[in-house]
């Protein structure tokens, strides 16, 4: 076998990152619509900057919404309570620009067609027990742990904004060691940086990694600039849909380009990506291949996908055309079929926002079945 050595890097962000705050606001509005009206059509974008929040988009629903209250409660939940360093949920200005869904779009969606055209990807591999690539799986574990030690007071000087970046060394397509871990964590003023570096290694990194994946050459970078006091919307503008690689596979697999958050399941940008992940995961879990990427494509207003493509990267144990045949026989890939199969009209979406839409239990598209 030809020796193949390379490095892959993935990034995750905490729930206080301004882009993720926008995703959570949009998904929280979607959830409130679906709680009251399962037939709601929602496409909501959020922008935050300074001490201002702008919510815009299209909503067609019978739900009675208090968008400003949803915004403020979401900001409070993620720890945006300081106008000097993040944003203050109590004093921020909230602007709304909401209209109804275009009738031209509704014509196709009402008869069961896709809410837009586009391409969607799903991916799975056997590198981790979650059937996710190792770099993004570990990056999510680190940012999730950052939030945990902040909320439980174990590290009481952390604030809500933060990022983690993980680089893994591969040999012959297998992860063999952690090359580096980078964490940028927002903190209170006057924190001793060497103490913070020690705390994050001991209380965040070491509890979530496998010890045999680090060695004497593994590098740890903690707040490389030495200071991260100003963050959130005060330090950076946030926008819905800017963390699509964090949301999916960390750059290891392809992405169709469409964001997830703030969109109801008639938008195949979201629902078809969930279905493609479900199929890819079950191809791997059923032993058909060690790696699998699925591509689906749809036309606006059309019920059936225009195309279905599979790539197992040479790891498949049976011919790919047989796998495609099994997929077509097993799954209804119309938008309505996907929504019904995955139960996507339930208000589940704010739970998907942080730490990846894939590789976490509790979501229907992560269920393992027999193909």
């Amino acid at each position: 076998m030809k020796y193949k050595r390379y490095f892959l890097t993935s990034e995750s962000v905490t729930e206080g990152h301004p882009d993720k705050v926008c995703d959570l606001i949009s998904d929280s509005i979607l959830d409130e619509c679906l709680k009251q009206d399962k037939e709601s059509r929602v496409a909501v974008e959020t922008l935050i900057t300074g001490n201002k929040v702008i919510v815009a988009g299209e909503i067609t629903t019978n739900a009675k919404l208090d968008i400003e209250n949803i915004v403020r409660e979401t900001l409070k939940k993620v720890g945006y309570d300081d106008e000097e360093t993040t944003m203050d949920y109590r004093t921020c200005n909230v602007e709304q620009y909401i209209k109804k869904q275009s009738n031209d779009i509704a014509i196709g969606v009402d008869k069961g067609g896709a809410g837009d055209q586009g391409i969607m990807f799903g991916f799975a591999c056997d590198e981790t027990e979650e059937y996710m690539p190792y770099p993004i799986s570990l990056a999510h574990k680190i940012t999730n742990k950052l939030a945990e030690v902040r909320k439980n007071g174990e590290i009481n000087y952390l604030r809500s904004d933060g990022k983690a970046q993980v680089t893994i060394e591969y040999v012959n397509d297998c992860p063999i060691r952690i090359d580096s871990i980078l964490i940028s964590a927002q903190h209170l003023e006057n924190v001793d940086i060497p103490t913070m570096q020690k705390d994050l290694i001991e209380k965040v990194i070491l509890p979530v990694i496998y010890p045999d994946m680090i060695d004497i050459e593994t590098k740890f970078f903690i707040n490389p600039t030495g200071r991260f006091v100003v963050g959130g919307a005060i330090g950076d503008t946030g926008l819905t849909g800017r963390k699509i690689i964090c949301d999916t596979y960390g750059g290891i697999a392809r992405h169709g380009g469409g964001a997830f958050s703030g969109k109801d399941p008639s938008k195949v940008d979201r629902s078809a990506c969930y279905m493609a992940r479900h199929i890819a995961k079950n191809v791997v879990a059923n032993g058909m291949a060690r790696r699998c990427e699925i591509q689906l494509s749809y036309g606006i207003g059309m019920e059936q996908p225009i195309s279905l493509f599979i790539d197992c990267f040479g790891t498949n144990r049976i011919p790919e055309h047989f796998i495609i045949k099994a997929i077509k026989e097993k799954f209804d890939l119309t938008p309505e079929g996907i929504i019904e199969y995955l139960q996507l009209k339930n208000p589940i979406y704010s739970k998907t926002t942080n730490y990846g839409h894939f590789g976490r239990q509790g979501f229907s598209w992560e269920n393992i079945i027999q193909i």
Side-chain angles (χ1 to χ4, degrees):
M1 177 186 290
K2 185 177 179 180
Y3 182 78
K4 182 182 178 183
R5 176 174 178 261
Y6 57 92
F7 297 81
L8 288 175
T9 302
S10 293
E11 179 194 51
S12 177
V13 300
T14 65
E15 59 204 58
H17 186 284
D19 291 334
K20 272 291 145 203
V21 173
C22 291
D23 285 346
L24 185 57
I25 290 171
S26 296
D27 276 336
S28 297
I29 293 170
L30 169 60
D31 276 354
E32 186 56 36
C33 289
L34 292 174
K35 283 177 187 176
Q36 300 183 43
D37 178 6
K38 289 185 179 295
E39 304 304 320
S40 296
R41 304 277 171 76
V42 181
V44 171
E45 315 289 343
T46 305
L47 180 147
I48 60 175
T49 183
N51 211 37
K52 176 177 284 191
V53 181
I54 299 172
V55 179
E58 298 78 48
I59 299 178
T60 302
T61 184
N62 292 318
K64 304 299 181 184
L65 299 175
D66 185 345
I67 289 177
E68 181 174 340
N69 184 63
I70 294 171
V71 168
R72 294 192 190 279
E73 286 300 310
T74 302
L75 294 174
K76 180 181 180 181
K77 185 185 302 182
V78 299
Y80 273 32
D81 56 8
D82 184 351
E83 193 171 338
E84 298 298 320
T85 61
T86 50
M87 172 185 270
D88 193 332
Y89 72 92
R90 294 159 293 202
T91 63
C92 65
N93 177 252
V94 180
E95 297 182 13
Q96 304 177 41
Y97 302 93
I98 302 294
K99 57 185 183 297
K100 290 189 174 183
Q101 183 183 62
S102 163
N103 288 331
D104 293 348
I105 297 174
I107 290 171
V109 178
D110 288 344
K111 66 178 184 180
D116 202 354
Q117 69 180 54
I119 57 174
M120 299 83 203
F121 287 94
F123 180 80
C125 60
D126 63 359
E127 293 177 16
T128 63
E129 62 183 13
E130 304 94 8
Y131 295 94
M132 291 288 287
Y134 192 77
I136 189 64
S137 177
L138 181 54
H140 285 323
K141 285 181 171 67
I142 291 171
T143 51
N144 204 352
K145 191 67 174 179
L146 265 179
E148 180 185 319
V149 298
R150 172 178 64 86
K151 292 175 180 178
N152 67 19
E154 189 174 354
I155 304 181
N156 59 12
Y157 52 76
L158 290 179
R159 298 287 284 158
S160 59
D161 198 355
K163 297 181 178 182
Q165 188 169 287
V166 174
T167 300
I168 302 296
E169 181 178 355
Y170 283 75
V171 171
N172 294 336
D173 296 329
C174 293
I176 63 163
R177 59 179 289 273
I178 299 169
D179 184 68
S180 67
I181 294 176
L182 165 64
I183 295 179
S184 294
Q186 188 186 13
H187 56 83
L188 297 176
E189 188 83 57
N190 300 323
V191 169
D192 180 67
I193 299 302
T195 298
M196 185 178 72
Q197 292 171 337
K198 179 176 179 291
D199 283 346
L200 293 189
I201 290 173
E202 291 181 354
K203 298 178 181 180
V204 174
I205 295 175
L206 294 182
V208 301
I209 64 174
Y210 294 115
D212 58 354
M213 289 296 286
I214 60 174
D215 56 31
I216 195 170
E217 295 185 353
T218 299
K219 300 172 285 291
F220 300 100
F221 305 106
I222 310 296
N223 282 27
T225 66
R227 176 182 167 89
F228 186 4
V229 174
V230 176
I234 302 301
D236 191 11
T237 297
L239 186 65
T240 298
R242 284 206 301 204
K243 286 293 175 281
I244 57 177
I245 299 302
C246 296
D247 287 343
T248 53
Y249 309 101
I252 307 305
R254 286 172 282 194
H255 194 291
F260 299 155
S261 291
K263 296 178 181 177
D264 75 83
S266 72
K267 281 73 173 173
V268 282
D269 277 340
R270 186 166 214 163
S271 54
C273 279
Y274 289 174
M275 191 65 175
R277 159 65 179 175
H278 180 66
I279 295 170
K281 180 176 181 178
N282 277 284
V283 167
V284 177
N286 278 265
M288 297 179 178
R290 294 186 57 237
R291 294 167 65 88
C292 178
E293 185 176 72
I294 301 286
Q295 186 204 60
L296 296 168
S297 69
Y298 289 84
I300 189 167
M302 299 174 65
E303 293 185 42
Q304 294 292 338
I306 293 173
S307 65
L308 165 61
F309 173 76
I310 185 170
D311 188 352
C312 295
F313 309 94
T315 69
N316 48 300
R317 296 180 174 89
I318 60 176
E320 289 177 344
H321 66 274
F322 284 142
I323 300 176
I324 290 177
K325 183 175 184 293
I327 291 169
K328 289 182 175 180
E329 291 175 352
K330 182 71 176 181
F331 300 107
D332 180 350
L333 297 179
T334 65
E336 283 194 342
I338 292 171
I339 290 168
E340 181 178 353
Y341 176 76
L342 295 178
Q343 297 295 294
L344 296 180
K345 289 185 179 181
N346 294 317
I348 58 171
Y349 296 100
S350 60
K351 295 178 182 178
T352 70
T353 307
N354 292 298
Y355 314 116
H357 291 241
F358 309 123
R360 295 192 290 138
Q361 295 303 309
F363 301 122
S364 57
W365 51 92
E366 293 297 320
N367 293 340
I368 295 176
I369 62 169
Q370 186 174 356
I371 298 181

